[in-house]
Amino acid sequence: MIIIDYKDTRPIYEQVVERFKTLILKGAILPDEQMPSVRNLAMELSINPNTIQKAYAELERQGFIYSVKGRGSFVSGDGNLVEKRKREYLDEILRLAKEVLEIGMTKMELVFEIEQLQV
């Protein structure tokens, strides 16, 4: 489920956050499904439980999960998460497109490159 890349320059907790966000947004983890316990996930990944706790706190702050005292953490049922994420990605793409146009690429070249994407 979660794989840590020790060559990645990002902190481990950020990698955990990004992986869970991807799993949640793609529907691999369903709304109200229980997240792995901090202790079990820390043992599985061979990392400090405080790192997992920090990742879960960040996921909760961003609205991806919620905590139930004494029961654990669960995936949020907020249907707007996907739309918010799409908007964030689109804003970033538009920012980059503006920069590439400012340095001389034409709109036609940009559109051509986008059309060449393989999904």
Side-chain angles (χ1 to χ4, degrees), residues 32-81:
D32 298 319
E33 188 174 329
Q34 188 166 11
M35 298 286 287
S37 74
V38 169
R39 186 180 325 196
N40 287 343
L41 188 57
M43 285 183 3
E44 181 182 319
L45 298 176
S46 299
I47 58 178
N48 190 313
N50 291 335
T51 302
I52 301 299
Q53 188 61 45
K54 187 173 182 178
Y56 279 17
E58 181 62 20
L59 286 165
E60 189 166 358
R61 187 189 70 73
Q62 293 182 24
F64 283 86
I65 65 173
Y66 63 94
S67 296
V68 176
K69 192 164 183 89
R71 295 209 45 232
S73 297
F74 298 83
V75 175
S76 173
D78 184 359
N80 293 326
L81 289 175

